[in-house]
């Protein structure tokens, strides 16, 4: 397995987890685990998935935007700074990472605030302790969480479902990836008919594996055609299936699946040799939405605004940080 970052987790007394840098994870968080109030009871009423005949331009139907990770700060009670965000018109959408332990009513309020501020919303099940796992029960748990909570989460407006953040390691094969997602998607389809975003395995870098799953190259076909494949682009990215540093040809591989595509995350850390800015620019030539990591909530250096939530989660106002221009210049 290609390690994206060597990570450490330190527990501070009962409630507070300090900076977490997980195996293969580019994102760091000051983690305070809220009580688990999620429901994972499978609903009974299925719905028919919408089938799209051709990929759509995600830059127009989703739009470039930024990632938000509010779950781990002040119990998720944070100020988003949308009045500042509204001054930057290239930001059209937000991708909100939702830890399953967060109360659903609180997560729903995040979605409402984004809609009220004029943004399209991608909502992502993000369980930080299992990023990069190959455990299919974790993916099924994400699907059951969506099936149980989708209606409550979207009471104030629609979301595009990102089924689970960074499920699957660099060791996934097209067949194992397709098999796992076929089962999980069938659960989500009980409540949601729209396009489902699937992160490529290997922390968003094994694009050819995801594409071959769609094509059925490994003997199992990812059956649902209304999916969006998502790559995550960082300087230390590596494509194990093709045995090379993450590069533009890997985006071509993802596009070869014939499905809509996005760059669900991009940022400038950890250090590495990937031409990450060039790859983001290349994705935009393909009319893909690109979303920068992160407006706020990284817990490390990749925050576009100041103060950060780990220092002032309920600040009355925010200002662009030095990192802001790094991301915004690519939107």
């Amino acid at each position: 397995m290609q390690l994206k970052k060597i990570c450490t987790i330190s527990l501070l007394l009962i409630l507070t987890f300090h900076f977490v840098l997980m195996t293969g994870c580019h994102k760091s968080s000051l983690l305070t685990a809220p009580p688990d109030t999620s429901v994972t009871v499978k609903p009974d009423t299925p719905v028919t998935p919408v089938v799209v005949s051709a990929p759509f331009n995600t830059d127009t139907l989703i739009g470039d935007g930024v990632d938000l990770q509010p779950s781990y700060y002040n119990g998720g009670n944070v100020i988003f700074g949308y009045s500042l965000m509204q001054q930057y018109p290239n930001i059209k959408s937000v991708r909100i990472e939702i830890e399953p332990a967060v109360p659903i009513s609180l997560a729903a309020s995040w979605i409402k605030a984004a809609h009220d501020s004029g943004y399209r919303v991608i909502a992502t099940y993000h369980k930080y302790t299992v990023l990069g796992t190959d455990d299919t029960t974790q993916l099924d748990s994400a699907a059951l969480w969506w099936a149980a909570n989708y209606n409550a989460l979207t009471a104030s407006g629609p979301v595009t479902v990102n089924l689970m953040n960074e499920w699957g390691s660099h060791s996934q094969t097209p067949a194992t990836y397709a098999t796992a997602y076929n089962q999980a998607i069938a659960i989500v389809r009980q409540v949601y008919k729209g396009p489902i975003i699937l992160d490529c395995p290997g922390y968003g870098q094994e694009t050819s594996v995801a594409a071959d799953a769609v094509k059925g190259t490994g003997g199992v076909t990812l059956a649902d055609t209304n999916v969006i494949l998502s790559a995550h682009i960082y300087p230390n990215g590596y494509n194990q299936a093709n045995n090379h540093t993450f590069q533009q040809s890997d985006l071509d591989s993802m596009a070869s699946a014939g499905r809509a595509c996005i760059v669900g995350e991009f940022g400038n850390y950890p250090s590495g040799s990937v031409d990450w800015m060039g790859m983001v620019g290349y994705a935009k030539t393909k009319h893909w939405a690109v979303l920068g990591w992160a407006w706020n909530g990284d817990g490390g250096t990749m925050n576009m605004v100041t103060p950060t939530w780990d220092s002032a989660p309920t600040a009355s106002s925010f200002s662009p940080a030095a990192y802001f221009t790094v991301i915004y210049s690519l939107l």
Side-chain angles (χ1 to χ4, degrees):
M1 179 190 301
Q2 174 70 16
L3 300 183
K4 292 179 66 180
K5 187 178 290 186
I6 298 175
C7 310
T8 61
I9 301 177
S10 60
L11 182 65
L12 178 61
L13 299 178
I14 300 174
L15 297 177
T16 306
F17 292 88
H18 271 271
F19 292 104
V20 174
L21 301 176
M22 293 152 286
T23 299
C25 180
H26 48 269
K27 294 166 287 190
S28 57
S29 312
L30 188 65
L31 301 178
T32 302
D36 190 347
T37 61
S38 60
V39 180
T40 55
V41 177
K42 183 175 177 180
D44 297 322
T45 306
V47 295
T48 303
V50 173
V51 177
V52 292
S53 58
F56 54 79
N57 289 346
T58 55
D59 63 344
T60 56
L61 294 184
I62 291 178
D64 294 342
V66 292
D67 290 283
L68 303 167
Q69 186 170 237
S71 297
Y72 310 111
Y73 308 92
N74 195 37
N77 294 290
V78 301
I79 302 298
F80 287 91
Y82 283 125
S83 59
L84 175 64
M85 191 183 294
Q86 289 167 336
Q87 298 176 36
Y88 296 92
N90 289 358
I91 300 174
K92 307 293 186 185
S93 64
V94 294
R95 177 173 174 262
I96 304 175
E97 304 257 18
I98 306 172
E99 178 74 29
V102 166
I104 297 304
S105 59
L106 179 59
S109 75
W110 299 341
I111 293 168
K112 183 179 188 303
H115 279 300
D116 289 348
S117 299
Y119 295 102
R120 302 180 186 121
V121 178
I122 296 171
T124 308
Y125 177 100
H126 178 114
K127 187 176 181 181
Y128 82 92
T129 57
V130 297
L131 299 186
T133 183
D134 292 320
D135 184 354
T136 58
T137 63
Q138 293 293 337
L139 187 62
D140 289 343
S141 291
L144 289 166
W145 181 89
W146 277 113
N149 300 307
Y150 173 79
N151 289 334
L153 288 169
T154 58
S156 62
V159 303
T160 301
V161 168
N162 191 165
L163 205 158
M164 183 173 180
N165 186 71
E166 295 183 348
W167 181 85
S169 74
H170 288 281
S171 298
Q172 281 289 313
T173 68
T176 59
Y177 184 82
T179 299
Y181 267 108
N182 280 341
Q183 180 167 311
I185 289 170
I187 296 170
V188 178
R189 285 301 183 205
Q190 296 177 29
V191 295
Y192 173 71
K193 296 188 292 183
I196 299 177
I197 296 173
L198 309 180
D199 289 1
C200 294
Y203 309 96
Q205 298 155 31
E206 298 295 339
T207 54
S208 60
V209 172
D212 285 346
V214 170
K215 299 171 189 175
T217 303
V220 181
T221 300
L222 205 160
D224 196 301
T225 62
N226 194 12
V227 297
I228 300 172
L229 301 182
S230 178
H232 293 179
I233 300 175
Y234 292 93
N236 66 335
Y238 187 78
N239 187 300
Q240 181 171 292
N242 294 316
N243 194 30
H244 60 217
T245 299
F246 206 31
Q247 57 193 245
Q248 289 186 8
S249 63
D250 296 316
L251 301 184
D252 292 331
S253 292
M254 189 164 73
S256 74
R259 299 290 180 262
C261 298
I262 65 170
V263 175
E265 300 178 13
F266 70 88
N268 70 352
Y269 183 86
S271 61
S273 60
V274 172
D275 178 18
W276 66 274
M277 296 180 74
M279 288 184 69
V280 173
Y282 185 60
K284 287 180 66 65
T285 69
K286 294 175 172 291
H287 304 290
W288 297 355
V290 300
L291 295 103
W293 186 271
W295 177 259
N296 209 336
D298 175 60
T301 62
M302 291 188 289
N303 291 289
M304 296 172 68
V305 300
T306 185
T308 59
W309 285 333
D310 58 348
S311 62
T314 58
S316 58
S317 64
F318 296 87
S319 302
Y323 179 70
F324 183 96
T325 303
V326 173
I327 296 299
Y328 192 71
S329 64
L330 295 172
L331 300 182

